[in-house]
Structures are given as structure tokens and as C-alpha cells.
Coordinates of all heavy atoms in Angstrom, one line a residue:
M1 N -7.3 -0.1 -2.2 CA -6.2 0.1 -1.4 C -5.1 -0.8 -2.0 O -5.3 -2.0 -2.3 CB -6.4 -0.2 0.0 CG -5.1 -0.2 0.8 SD -5.4 -0.5 2.6 CE -5.6 1.2 3.1
V2 N -3.9 -0.3 -2.2 CA -2.7 -1.0 -2.7 C -1.7 -1.1 -1.5 O -1.3 0.0 -1.0 CB -2.1 -0.3 -3.9 CG1 -1.0 -1.2 -4.5 CG2 -3.2 0.0 -4.9
T3 N -1.3 -2.3 -1.2 CA -0.3 -2.4 -0.1 C 1.0 -3.0 -0.7 O 1.0 -3.6 -1.7 CB -0.8 -3.3 1.0 OG1 -1.2 -4.6 0.5 CG2 -2.0 -2.7 1.7
N4 N 2.0 -2.9 0.1 CA 3.4 -3.3 -0.2 C 3.9 -2.5 -1.4 O 4.7 -3.0 -2.3 CB 3.5 -4.8 -0.5 CG 4.9 -5.3 -0.4 OD1 5.7 -4.8 0.4 ND2 5.2 -6.3 -1.2
V5 N 3.6 -1.2 -1.4 CA 4.1 -0.3 -2.5 C 5.6 0.0 -2.2 O 5.9 0.3 -1.1 CB 3.2 1.0 -2.5 CG1 3.8 2.0 -3.6 CG2 1.8 0.6 -2.9
H6 N 6.4 0.0 -3.2 CA 7.8 0.3 -3.1 C 8.0 1.7 -2.5 O 7.3 2.6 -2.9 CB 8.5 0.2 -4.4 CG 10.0 0.2 -4.4 ND1 10.7 1.4 -4.2 CD2 10.9 -0.8 -4.4 CE1 12.0 1.1 -4.2 NE2 12.1 -0.2 -4.3
E7 N 9.0 1.8 -1.6 CA 9.2 3.1 -0.9 C 9.5 4.3 -1.8 O 9.4 5.5 -1.5 CB 10.2 3.0 0.2 CG 11.6 2.7 -0.3 CD 12.6 2.5 0.8 OE1 12.2 2.5 2.0 OE2 13.8 2.4 0.5
E8 N 10.1 4.0 -3.0 CA 10.4 5.1 -4.0 C 9.5 5.2 -5.1 O 9.7 5.9 -6.1 CB 11.9 4.8 -4.5 CG 12.9 4.9 -3.4 CD 14.3 4.7 -3.9 OE1 14.5 4.4 -5.1 OE2 15.2 4.7 -3.0
A9 N 8.3 4.6 -5.0 CA 7.3 4.7 -6.0 C 6.8 6.2 -6.1 O 6.7 6.9 -5.1 CB 6.1 3.8 -5.7
T10 N 6.3 6.6 -7.3 CA 5.8 7.9 -7.5 C 4.3 7.8 -7.9 O 3.9 6.8 -8.4 CB 6.5 8.7 -8.5 OG1 6.3 8.1 -9.8 CG2 8.0 8.8 -8.2
E11 N 3.6 8.9 -7.7 CA 2.2 8.9 -8.1 C 2.1 8.7 -9.6 O 1.2 8.0 -10.1 CB 1.5 10.3 -7.8 CG 1.2 10.4 -6.3 CD 0.4 11.6 -6.0 OE1 -0.3 12.2 -6.9 OE2 0.3 12.0 -4.8
E12 N 3.0 9.2 -10.4 CA 3.0 9.1 -11.8 C 3.1 7.6 -12.2 O 2.4 7.1 -13.1 CB 4.1 9.9 -12.5 CG 4.1 9.9 -14.0 CD 5.2 10.7 -14.6 OE1 5.6 11.7 -13.9 OE2 5.6 10.4 -15.7
E13 N 4.0 6.9 -11.6 CA 4.2 5.4 -11.9 C 3.0 4.6 -11.5 O 2.6 3.8 -12.3 CB 5.4 4.9 -11.1 CG 6.8 5.4 -11.6 CD 7.9 5.2 -10.6 OE1 7.7 5.1 -9.4 OE2 9.1 5.1 -11.1
L14 N 2.4 4.9 -10.4 CA 1.2 4.2 -10.0 C 0.0 4.6 -10.9 O -0.8 3.7 -11.4 CB 0.8 4.4 -8.6 CG 1.7 3.8 -7.5 CD1 1.3 4.2 -6.1 CD2 1.7 2.3 -7.7
N15 N -0.1 5.8 -11.3 CA -1.1 6.3 -12.2 C -1.0 5.6 -13.5 O -2.0 5.2 -14.1 CB -1.1 7.8 -12.4 CG -2.3 8.4 -13.0 OD1 -3.4 8.1 -12.6 ND2 -2.1 9.2 -14.0
D16 N 0.2 5.4 -14.0 CA 0.4 4.8 -15.3 C -0.1 3.3 -15.3 O -0.7 2.8 -16.2 CB 1.9 4.7 -15.7 CG 2.4 6.1 -16.2 OD1 1.5 7.0 -16.4 OD2 3.6 6.3 -16.2
K17 N 0.1 2.6 -14.2 CA -0.3 1.2 -14.0 C -1.8 1.1 -13.9 O -2.5 0.3 -14.5 CB 0.3 0.6 -12.8 CG 1.7 0.1 -13.0 CD 1.8 -1.2 -13.8 CE 3.2 -1.8 -13.7 NZ 3.3 -2.9 -14.5
F18 N -2.4 1.9 -13.0 CA -3.8 1.8 -12.7 C -4.7 2.5 -13.7 O -5.9 2.1 -13.8 CB -4.1 2.4 -11.3 CG -3.6 1.4 -10.2 CD1 -2.3 1.5 -9.7 CD2 -4.5 0.5 -9.7 CE1 -1.8 0.6 -8.8 CE2 -4.0 -0.4 -8.7 CZ -2.7 -0.4 -8.2
A19 N -4.3 3.4 -14.5 CA -5.1 4.1 -15.5 C -5.5 3.1 -16.6 O -6.5 3.4 -17.3 CB -4.4 5.3 -16.1
D20 N -4.9 2.0 -16.7 CA -5.2 1.0 -17.8 C -6.6 0.4 -17.5 O -7.2 -0.2 -18.4 CB -4.2 -0.1 -17.8 CG -2.9 0.3 -18.4 OD1 -2.8 1.4 -19.0 OD2 -1.9 -0.4 -18.1
F21 N -7.1 0.6 -16.3 CA -8.4 -0.1 -15.9 C -9.6 0.9 -15.8 O -10.7 0.5 -15.5 CB -8.2 -0.8 -14.5 CG -7.2 -1.9 -14.7 CD1 -5.8 -1.7 -14.3 CD2 -7.5 -3.2 -15.1 CE1 -4.9 -2.7 -14.5 CE2 -6.6 -4.2 -15.3 CZ -5.3 -3.9 -15.0
G22 N -9.3 2.2 -16.0 CA -10.4 3.1 -16.0 C -9.9 4.5 -15.5 O -8.7 4.7 -15.3
E23 N -10.9 5.4 -15.5 CA -10.5 6.8 -15.1 C -10.3 6.9 -13.6 O -11.2 6.6 -12.8 CB -11.7 7.7 -15.5 CG -11.3 9.2 -15.3 CD -12.4 10.1 -15.7 OE1 -13.2 9.7 -16.6 OE2 -12.4 11.3 -15.2
I24 N -9.1 7.4 -13.2 CA -8.8 7.5 -11.8 C -9.4 8.8 -11.3 O -9.1 9.9 -11.8 CB -7.3 7.4 -11.6 CG1 -6.8 6.0 -11.9 CG2 -7.0 7.7 -10.1 CD1 -5.3 5.8 -11.9
K25 N -10.2 8.7 -10.3 CA -10.8 9.9 -9.7 C -9.8 10.5 -8.7 O -9.7 11.8 -8.6 CB -12.1 9.5 -8.9 CG -12.9 10.6 -8.4 CD -14.2 10.0 -7.8 CE -15.1 11.0 -7.2 NZ -16.3 10.5 -6.7
N26 N -9.1 9.7 -7.9 CA -8.2 10.2 -6.9 C -7.1 9.1 -6.7 O -7.4 8.0 -6.6 CB -8.9 10.5 -5.6 CG -8.1 11.2 -4.6 OD1 -7.1 11.9 -5.0 ND2 -8.5 11.2 -3.4
L27 N -5.9 9.6 -6.5 CA -4.8 8.7 -6.1 C -4.0 9.3 -5.0 O -3.5 10.5 -5.2 CB -3.9 8.4 -7.3 CG -2.8 7.3 -7.2 CD1 -2.6 6.6 -8.5 CD2 -1.5 7.8 -6.6
H28 N -3.9 8.6 -3.9 CA -3.2 9.2 -2.7 C -2.1 8.3 -2.3 O -2.3 7.1 -2.1 CB -4.2 9.4 -1.6 CG -3.5 10.0 -0.4 ND1 -3.2 11.4 -0.3 CD2 -3.1 9.5 0.8 CE1 -2.6 11.6 0.8 NE2 -2.5 10.5 1.5
L29 N -0.9 8.8 -2.3 CA 0.3 8.1 -1.9 C 0.9 8.7 -0.6 O 1.3 9.9 -0.7 CB 1.4 8.2 -3.0 CG 2.5 7.2 -3.1 CD1 1.9 5.8 -3.2 CD2 3.3 7.5 -4.4
N30 N 0.7 8.1 0.5 CA 1.1 8.6 1.8 C 2.6 8.6 2.0 O 3.2 7.5 1.9 CB 0.4 7.9 2.9 CG 0.1 8.7 4.1 OD1 0.6 9.9 4.2 ND2 -0.5 8.2 5.1
L31 N 3.2 9.7 2.3 CA 4.7 9.7 2.6 C 5.0 9.9 4.0 O 4.3 10.5 4.8 CB 5.3 10.9 1.8 CG 5.1 11.0 0.3 CD1 5.7 12.3 -0.2 CD2 5.6 9.8 -0.4
D32 N 6.1 9.3 4.4 CA 6.6 9.4 5.8 C 7.2 10.8 5.9 O 8.1 11.2 5.1 CB 7.7 8.3 6.0 CG 8.2 8.3 7.5 OD1 8.8 9.3 7.9 OD2 7.9 7.3 8.1
R33 N 6.8 11.5 6.9 CA 7.3 12.9 7.1 C 8.8 13.0 7.4 O 9.5 13.9 6.9 CB 6.6 13.6 8.3 CG 5.2 14.0 7.9 CD 4.7 14.8 9.1 NE 3.3 14.5 9.3 CZ 2.5 15.0 10.3 NH1 3.1 15.7 11.2 NH2 1.3 14.7 10.4
R34 N 9.2 12.0 8.1 CA 10.7 12.0 8.5 C 11.6 11.6 7.4 O 12.6 12.3 7.1 CB 10.9 11.0 9.7 CG 12.2 11.1 10.3 CD 12.3 10.2 11.6 NE 11.8 8.9 11.4 CZ 12.5 7.9 10.9 NH1 13.8 8.1 10.6 NH2 12.0 6.7 10.8
T35 N 11.2 10.6 6.6 CA 12.1 10.1 5.6 C 11.8 10.6 4.2 O 12.6 10.7 3.3 CB 12.1 8.6 5.5 OG1 10.8 8.1 5.1 CG2 12.5 8.0 6.8
G36 N 10.5 11.0 4.0 CA 10.1 11.4 2.6 C 9.7 10.3 1.7 O 9.3 10.5 0.6
Y37 N 9.9 9.0 2.2 CA 9.6 7.9 1.4 C 8.1 7.5 1.5 O 7.5 7.8 2.5 CB 10.5 6.7 1.8 CG 11.9 6.8 1.3 CD1 12.9 6.9 2.3 CD2 12.2 6.9 0.0 CE1 14.3 7.1 1.9 CE2 13.6 7.0 -0.4 CZ 14.6 7.1 0.5 OH 15.9 7.3 0.1
V38 N 7.6 6.7 0.6 CA 6.3 6.1 0.7 C 6.1 5.2 1.8 O 7.0 4.4 2.1 CB 5.9 5.4 -0.7 CG1 4.6 4.7 -0.6 CG2 6.0 6.3 -1.8
K39 N 5.0 5.3 2.5 CA 4.8 4.5 3.7 C 4.5 3.0 3.4 O 4.4 2.2 4.3 CB 3.6 5.0 4.6 CG 4.0 6.2 5.4 CD 2.9 6.6 6.4 CE 3.4 7.7 7.3 NZ 2.4 8.0 8.3
G40 N 4.2 2.7 2.1 CA 4.0 1.3 1.8 C 2.6 1.0 1.3 O 2.3 -0.1 1.0
Y41 N 1.8 2.1 1.2 CA 0.4 1.8 0.7 C 0.0 3.0 -0.1 O 0.5 4.1 0.0 CB -0.6 1.5 1.8 CG -0.9 2.7 2.7 CD1 -2.0 3.5 2.4 CD2 -0.1 3.0 3.8 CE1 -2.3 4.6 3.2 CE2 -0.4 4.1 4.6 CZ -1.5 4.9 4.3 OH -1.7 5.9 5.1
A42 N -1.0 2.8 -1.0 CA -1.6 3.9 -1.8 C -3.1 3.6 -1.8 O -3.6 2.5 -1.7 CB -1.1 3.9 -3.2
L43 N -3.9 4.7 -2.0 CA -5.3 4.7 -2.1 C -5.6 5.1 -3.5 O -5.2 6.2 -3.9 CB -6.0 5.6 -1.1 CG -5.8 5.2 0.4 CD1 -6.4 6.3 1.3 CD2 -6.4 3.9 0.7
V44 N -6.3 4.3 -4.3 CA -6.7 4.6 -5.7 C -8.2 4.6 -5.7 O -8.9 3.6 -5.4 CB -6.1 3.6 -6.7 CG1 -6.5 4.0 -8.1 CG2 -4.6 3.5 -6.5
E45 N -8.8 5.7 -6.2 CA -10.3 5.8 -6.3 C -10.7 5.9 -7.8 O -10.1 6.7 -8.5 CB -10.8 7.0 -5.5 CG -12.2 7.1 -5.5 CD -12.7 8.3 -4.7 OE1 -11.8 9.1 -4.1 OE2 -13.9 8.6 -4.6
Y46 N -11.6 5.1 -8.2 CA -12.1 5.1 -9.5 C -13.5 5.7 -9.6 O -14.2 5.8 -8.6 CB -12.2 3.7 -10.1 CG -10.8 3.1 -10.5 CD1 -10.1 2.3 -9.6 CD2 -10.3 3.3 -11.7 CE1 -8.9 1.8 -9.9 CE2 -9.0 2.8 -12.1 CZ -8.3 2.1 -11.2 OH -7.1 1.6 -11.5
E47 N -13.9 6.0 -10.8 CA -15.3 6.6 -11.0 C -16.4 5.5 -10.7 O -17.4 5.9 -10.2 CB -15.4 7.1 -12.4 CG -14.7 8.4 -12.6 CD -15.3 9.6 -11.9 OE1 -16.5 9.7 -11.7 OE2 -14.5 10.5 -11.6
T48 N -16.1 4.3 -11.1 CA -17.1 3.3 -11.0 C -16.6 2.0 -10.2 O -15.4 1.8 -10.2 CB -17.6 2.8 -12.4 OG1 -16.6 2.1 -13.0 CG2 -18.1 4.0 -13.2
Y49 N -17.5 1.3 -9.7 CA -17.2 0.0 -9.0 C -16.6 -0.9 -10.0 O -15.6 -1.6 -9.7 CB -18.5 -0.6 -8.5 CG -18.3 -2.0 -8.0 CD1 -17.8 -2.3 -6.7 CD2 -18.6 -3.1 -8.8 CE1 -17.6 -3.6 -6.3 CE2 -18.4 -4.4 -8.4 CZ -17.9 -4.6 -7.1 OH -17.8 -5.9 -6.7
R50 N -17.1 -1.0 -11.2 CA -16.6 -1.9 -12.3 C -15.1 -1.7 -12.6 O -14.3 -2.6 -12.7 CB -17.5 -1.8 -13.5 CG -17.3 -2.9 -14.5 CD -18.3 -2.9 -15.5 NE -19.5 -3.6 -15.0 CZ -20.7 -3.5 -15.3 NH1 -21.0 -2.6 -16.3 NH2 -21.7 -4.2 -14.8
E51 N -14.7 -0.4 -12.7 CA -13.3 -0.1 -13.0 C -12.4 -0.5 -11.8 O -11.4 -1.0 -12.0 CB -13.2 1.4 -13.2 CG -13.8 1.9 -14.5 CD -13.9 3.4 -14.6 OE1 -13.8 4.1 -13.6 OE2 -14.0 3.9 -15.8
A52 N -12.9 -0.2 -10.6 CA -12.1 -0.6 -9.4 C -12.0 -2.1 -9.3 O -10.9 -2.6 -9.0 CB -12.8 -0.1 -8.1
K53 N -13.0 -2.8 -9.6 CA -13.0 -4.3 -9.5 C -12.0 -4.8 -10.6 O -11.2 -5.8 -10.3 CB -14.4 -4.9 -9.7 CG -14.4 -6.4 -9.7 CD -14.3 -6.9 -8.3 CE -14.5 -8.4 -8.3 NZ -13.5 -9.1 -7.5
A54 N -12.0 -4.2 -11.8 CA -11.1 -4.7 -12.8 C -9.6 -4.4 -12.4 O -8.8 -5.3 -12.7 CB -11.4 -3.9 -14.1
A55 N -9.4 -3.3 -11.8 CA -8.0 -3.0 -11.3 C -7.6 -4.0 -10.3 O -6.4 -4.5 -10.3 CB -7.9 -1.6 -10.8
I56 N -8.4 -4.3 -9.3 CA -8.1 -5.3 -8.3 C -7.8 -6.6 -8.9 O -6.8 -7.3 -8.6 CB -9.2 -5.4 -7.2 CG1 -9.3 -4.1 -6.4 CG2 -9.1 -6.6 -6.3 CD1 -10.5 -3.9 -5.6
D57 N -8.7 -7.1 -9.8 CA -8.5 -8.4 -10.4 C -7.2 -8.4 -11.3 O -6.5 -9.4 -11.4 CB -9.7 -8.7 -11.3 CG -10.9 -9.0 -10.4 OD1 -10.8 -9.2 -9.2 OD2 -12.0 -8.9 -11.0
G58 N -6.9 -7.3 -12.0 CA -5.8 -7.2 -12.9 C -4.5 -7.0 -12.2 O -3.4 -7.4 -12.8
L59 N -4.4 -6.3 -11.1 CA -3.1 -5.9 -10.5 C -2.8 -6.6 -9.2 O -1.7 -6.5 -8.7 CB -3.0 -4.4 -10.4 CG -2.9 -3.7 -11.7 CD1 -3.0 -2.2 -11.4 CD2 -1.7 -4.0 -12.4
N60 N -3.8 -7.3 -8.6 CA -3.5 -8.0 -7.3 C -2.4 -9.0 -7.5 O -2.5 -9.8 -8.5 CB -4.8 -8.6 -6.7 CG -4.6 -9.1 -5.3 OD1 -3.9 -8.5 -4.5 ND2 -5.2 -10.2 -5.0
N61 N -1.4 -9.0 -6.6 CA -0.3 -10.0 -6.6 C 0.5 -9.9 -7.9 O 1.1 -10.9 -8.4 CB -0.8 -11.4 -6.5 CG -1.5 -11.7 -5.2 OD1 -1.1 -11.1 -4.1 ND2 -2.6 -12.4 -5.2
T62 N 0.7 -8.6 -8.4 CA 1.6 -8.4 -9.5 C 2.7 -7.5 -9.0 O 2.6 -6.9 -7.9 CB 0.9 -7.7 -10.7 OG1 0.4 -6.4 -10.3 CG2 -0.3 -8.5 -11.3
E63 N 3.8 -7.4 -9.8 CA 5.0 -6.6 -9.4 C 4.9 -5.2 -10.0 O 4.6 -5.0 -11.1 CB 6.2 -7.3 -9.9 CG 6.8 -8.3 -9.0 CD 8.2 -8.7 -9.3 OE1 8.9 -8.0 -10.0 OE2 8.6 -9.8 -8.9
I64 N 5.1 -4.3 -9.1 CA 5.3 -2.9 -9.5 C 6.6 -2.4 -8.8 O 6.8 -2.5 -7.6 CB 4.1 -2.0 -9.0 CG1 2.8 -2.5 -9.6 CG2 4.4 -0.5 -9.3 CD1 1.6 -1.7 -9.1
L65 N 7.6 -2.0 -9.6 CA 8.9 -1.6 -9.2 C 9.6 -2.7 -8.4 O 10.3 -2.5 -7.4 CB 8.9 -0.3 -8.4 CG 8.3 0.9 -9.1 CD1 8.3 2.1 -8.1 CD2 9.2 1.3 -10.3
G66 N 9.4 -4.0 -8.9 CA 10.1 -5.1 -8.3 C 9.5 -5.6 -7.0 O 10.1 -6.5 -6.4
Q67 N 8.4 -5.1 -6.6 CA 7.7 -5.6 -5.3 C 6.3 -6.1 -5.7 O 5.6 -5.4 -6.4 CB 7.6 -4.5 -4.3 CG 8.9 -4.3 -3.6 CD 8.8 -3.4 -2.3 OE1 9.7 -2.8 -1.9 NE2 7.6 -3.3 -1.7
E68 N 5.9 -7.2 -5.1 CA 4.6 -7.7 -5.4 C 3.6 -7.0 -4.5 O 3.7 -6.9 -3.3 CB 4.5 -9.2 -5.0 CG 3.2 -9.9 -5.4 CD 3.2 -11.3 -5.2 OE1 4.0 -12.1 -5.8 OE2 2.4 -11.8 -4.3
V69 N 2.6 -6.3 -5.2 CA 1.6 -5.5 -4.4 C 0.3 -6.3 -4.3 O 0.0 -7.2 -5.0 CB 1.3 -4.2 -5.2 CG1 2.6 -3.3 -5.2 CG2 0.8 -4.4 -6.5
S70 N -0.4 -5.9 -3.3 CA -1.7 -6.5 -3.0 C -2.8 -5.4 -3.2 O -2.6 -4.3 -2.7 CB -1.9 -7.1 -1.6 OG -1.0 -8.1 -1.4
C71 N -3.9 -5.7 -3.9 CA -4.9 -4.7 -4.2 C -6.2 -5.3 -3.7 O -6.6 -6.5 -3.9 CB -5.0 -4.5 -5.7 SG -3.5 -4.0 -6.5
D72 N -7.0 -4.4 -3.0 CA -8.3 -4.8 -2.5 C -9.1 -3.6 -2.2 O -8.5 -2.5 -2.2 CB -8.2 -5.7 -1.2 CG -9.4 -6.6 -1.0 OD1 -10.4 -6.4 -1.7 OD2 -9.4 -7.4 -0.1
F73 N -10.4 -3.7 -1.9 CA -11.2 -2.6 -1.6 C -10.8 -2.1 -0.2 O -10.5 -2.9 0.7 CB -12.7 -3.0 -1.6 CG -13.3 -3.1 -2.9 CD1 -13.5 -4.4 -3.5 CD2 -13.6 -2.0 -3.7 CE1 -14.0 -4.6 -4.7 CE2 -14.1 -2.2 -5.0 CZ -14.3 -3.5 -5.5
A74 N -10.8 -0.8 0.0 CA -10.4 -0.2 1.3 C -11.6 -0.3 2.3 O -11.4 -0.2 3.5 CB -10.0 1.2 1.1
F75 N -12.8 -0.4 1.8 CA -14.0 -0.4 2.6 C -14.6 -1.8 2.6 O -14.6 -2.5 1.6 CB -15.0 0.6 2.2 CG -14.4 2.0 2.1 CD1 -13.9 2.6 1.0 CD2 -14.2 2.7 3.3 CE1 -13.3 3.8 1.0 CE2 -13.6 4.0 3.3 CZ -13.2 4.5 2.1
V76 N -15.3 -2.2 3.7 CA -15.9 -3.5 3.8 C -17.0 -3.6 2.8 O -17.2 -4.6 2.2 CB -16.4 -3.7 5.2 CG1 -17.1 -5.0 5.4 CG2 -15.2 -3.7 6.2
R77 N -17.9 -2.6 2.7 CA -19.1 -2.7 1.9 C -18.8 -1.8 0.6 O -18.3 -0.7 0.8 CB -20.3 -2.1 2.6 CG -21.0 -3.0 3.5 CD -22.3 -2.4 3.9 NE -22.4 -0.9 4.0 CZ -22.5 -0.3 5.1 NH1 -22.5 -0.9 6.3 NH2 -22.6 1.0 5.1
P78 N -19.2 -2.3 -0.6 CA -19.2 -1.4 -1.7 C -20.2 -0.3 -1.5 O -21.2 -0.4 -0.8 CB -19.5 -2.3 -2.9 CG -20.2 -3.5 -2.3 CD -19.7 -3.6 -0.9
P79 N -20.1 0.9 -2.2 CA -21.0 2.0 -2.1 C -22.4 1.6 -2.5 O -22.6 0.6 -3.3 CB -20.4 3.1 -2.9 CG -19.5 2.4 -3.9 CD -19.0 1.2 -3.2
A80 N -23.4 2.3 -2.0 CA -24.8 2.0 -2.4 C -24.9 2.1 -4.0 O -24.3 2.9 -4.6 CB -25.8 3.0 -1.8
G81 N -25.7 1.2 -4.5 CA -25.8 1.2 -6.0 C -24.7 0.3 -6.6 O -24.7 0.1 -7.8
G82 N -23.9 -0.4 -5.8 CA -22.9 -1.3 -6.3 C -23.6 -2.6 -6.7 O -24.8 -2.6 -7.0
P83 N -22.9 -3.7 -6.8 CA -23.4 -4.9 -7.3 C -24.6 -5.5 -6.5 O -25.5 -6.1 -7.0 CB -22.3 -5.9 -7.3 CG -21.3 -5.4 -6.3 CD -21.5 -3.9 -6.3
R84 N -24.7 -5.2 -5.2 CA -25.7 -5.7 -4.3 C -26.9 -4.7 -4.2 O -27.9 -5.0 -3.6 CB -25.2 -6.0 -2.9 CG -24.4 -7.2 -2.9 CD -24.1 -7.6 -1.5 NE -22.6 -7.8 -1.4 CZ -21.9 -7.5 -0.4 NH1 -22.5 -7.0 0.7 NH2 -20.6 -7.8 -0.3
G85 N -26.7 -3.5 -4.7 CA -27.7 -2.5 -4.6 C -27.8 -2.0 -3.1 O -26.8 -1.6 -2.6
G86 N -29.0 -2.0 -2.6 CA -29.1 -1.6 -1.2 C -29.5 -0.1 -1.1 O -29.2 0.7 -2.0
R87 N -30.1 0.2 0.0 CA -30.5 1.6 0.3 C -30.1 1.9 1.7 O -29.9 1.1 2.6 CB -32.0 1.7 0.2 CG -32.6 1.5 -1.2 CD -34.1 1.6 -1.2 NE -34.6 0.6 -0.3 CZ -35.8 0.1 -0.4 NH1 -36.6 0.5 -1.3 NH2 -36.2 -0.8 0.5
R88 N -29.9 3.2 1.9 CA -29.6 3.7 3.2 C -30.7 3.4 4.2 O -31.9 3.6 3.8 CB -29.3 5.2 3.2 CG -27.9 5.5 2.7 CD -27.9 7.0 2.5 NE -27.0 7.9 3.3 CZ -25.8 7.8 3.7 NH1 -25.2 6.7 3.5 NH2 -25.2 8.7 4.4
G89 N -30.4 3.1 5.4 CA -31.4 2.9 6.4 C -32.1 1.6 6.3 O -33.0 1.3 7.1
E90 N -31.8 0.7 5.4 CA -32.5 -0.6 5.3 C -32.1 -1.4 6.5 O -30.9 -1.6 6.8 CB -32.0 -1.2 4.0 CG -32.8 -2.5 3.7 CD -32.4 -3.0 2.4 OE1 -32.6 -2.4 1.4 OE2 -31.8 -4.1 2.4
R91 N -33.1 -2.0 7.2 CA -32.8 -2.8 8.4 C -32.5 -4.2 8.0 O -33.2 -4.9 7.3 CB -34.0 -2.7 9.3 CG -33.8 -3.1 10.7 CD -35.0 -2.8 11.5 NE -34.8 -3.2 12.8 CZ -34.3 -2.4 13.8 NH1 -34.2 -1.2 13.6 NH2 -34.2 -2.9 15.0
K92 N -31.4 -4.7 8.5 CA -30.9 -6.0 8.2 C -31.1 -7.0 9.3 O -30.7 -8.1 9.3 CB -29.4 -6.0 7.9 CG -29.0 -5.1 6.8 CD -29.1 -5.9 5.5 CE -28.6 -5.0 4.4 NZ -29.1 -5.2 3.1
R93 N -31.8 -6.6 10.4 CA -32.1 -7.5 11.5 C -33.5 -7.4 11.9 O -34.2 -6.5 11.5 CB -31.1 -7.1 12.7 CG -31.3 -5.7 13.1 CD -30.4 -5.3 14.1 NE -30.7 -3.9 14.5 CZ -30.1 -3.1 15.2 NH1 -29.0 -3.6 15.8 NH2 -30.5 -1.9 15.5
S94 N -33.9 -8.3 12.8 CA -35.3 -8.3 13.2 C -35.6 -7.2 14.2 O -34.7 -6.6 14.8 CB -35.7 -9.6 13.9 OG -34.9 -9.8 15.1
A95 N -36.8 -6.8 14.3 CA -37.2 -5.7 15.2 C -37.1 -6.2 16.7 O -37.1 -7.4 17.0 CB -38.6 -5.3 14.9
S96 N -37.0 -5.2 17.6 CA -36.9 -5.5 19.0 C -38.2 -6.3 19.4 O -39.3 -6.0 18.8 CB -36.8 -4.3 19.8 OG -35.6 -3.6 19.5
P97 N -38.2 -7.1 20.5 CA -39.4 -7.9 20.8 C -40.6 -7.0 21.1 O -41.7 -7.4 20.7 CB -38.9 -8.6 22.1 CG -37.5 -8.6 22.1 CD -37.1 -7.4 21.3
G98 N -40.5 -5.9 21.6 CA -41.7 -5.0 21.9 C -42.2 -4.3 20.7 O -43.3 -3.7 20.7
R99 N -41.6 -4.4 19.5 CA -42.0 -3.7 18.3 C -42.5 -4.6 17.2 O -42.6 -4.1 16.1 CB -40.8 -2.9 17.8 CG -40.3 -1.8 18.8 CD -39.3 -1.0 18.2 NE -38.9 0.0 19.2 CZ -38.2 1.1 18.9 NH1 -37.7 1.3 17.7 NH2 -37.8 1.9 19.9
R100 N -42.7 -5.8 17.5 CA -43.2 -6.7 16.5 C -44.6 -6.6 16.2 O -45.6 -6.4 16.5 CB -42.9 -8.2 16.8 CG -41.4 -8.4 16.7 CD -41.1 -9.8 16.9 NE -39.7 -10.0 17.0 CZ -39.1 -11.1 17.3 NH1 -39.7 -12.2 17.5 NH2 -37.8 -11.1 17.3

């Protein structure tokens, strides 16, 4: 997720900046229906975790169109198979007292 995106930014301009870090799977720039301007954020999706992490590290707190943008993951947990691995359904807490 990229925040503080300039209101007149285009998908092409953001694509040019973010493509330096890997293959972009999807780029979404949300527009205000009333004004037609960018709402101030963009969602950039990469093929791999490594590419996304490189973009965050490389572009966080940098200027795009004269505004300093912030970049971070849009989701709290990286997808399964990311740096921590993990499997679906894995229990992270102890069992209920009656089930021990």
C-alpha cells in the first residue's frame, strides 16, 4: 500500500517507479468519483514477497511527484509461504481446558 499519493498521479507514473523492483501483478489507483482525482493511496501487488519487500524498502519515505509517500504491506500477515512459512489451520494457542 502506498499512501500520500499526489492527487494528479497516474497509473503509468506509479508503474514506472514501482516496476524497478519487480514484475507488478496489479496496480490499483482509487479515484474520487466526484472530483476524478486520486484519493491519496494506491495498491501495488507484486508476484513475490521479495519484490514487494524491495519496493517498500526502496520507495518508503521518498518523493513521487513532489510528495513524500509511505509504503508498507497492506495486510498484517504476509501470505503463506512468505518468510515465516506457516500453514493454514495451524493453531497458535493452547487447547481449551477440556481438550488437553
Side-chain angles (χ1 to χ4, degrees):
M1 174 176 267
V2 185
T3 57
N4 200 33
V5 176
H6 191 279
E7 65 182 8
E8 294 181 2
T10 65
E11 283 188 21
E12 185 177 335
E13 290 165 332
L14 290 178
N15 195 50
D16 288 346
K17 281 280 193 188
F18 284 88
D20 292 341
F21 298 94
E23 185 177 338
I24 295 175
K25 188 175 178 181
N26 189 21
L27 190 147
H28 183 74
L29 200 56
N30 207 357
L31 302 178
D32 185 295
R33 285 189 217 173
R34 190 173 49 85
T35 65
Y37 289 115
V38 175
K39 283 191 172 182
Y41 70 93
L43 299 172
V44 183
E45 184 180 358
Y46 285 93
E47 288 289 329
T48 67
Y49 170 85
R50 194 167 276 155
E51 292 170 337
K53 180 73 172 135
I56 289 169
D57 292 343
L59 291 174
N60 190 36
N61 299 321
T62 61
E63 275 194 19
I64 298 178
L65 297 176
Q67 282 190 203
E68 187 175 296
V69 297
S70 296
C71 304
D72 204 353
F73 287 103
F75 302 101
V76 176
R77 279 191 328 251
R84 288 190 230 145
R87 294 179 300 206
R88 279 172 113 46
E90 187 176 296
R91 198 169 176 99
K92 301 276 187 208
R93 58 185 183 188
S94 62
S96 299
R99 296 184 180 195
R100 288 186 187 173

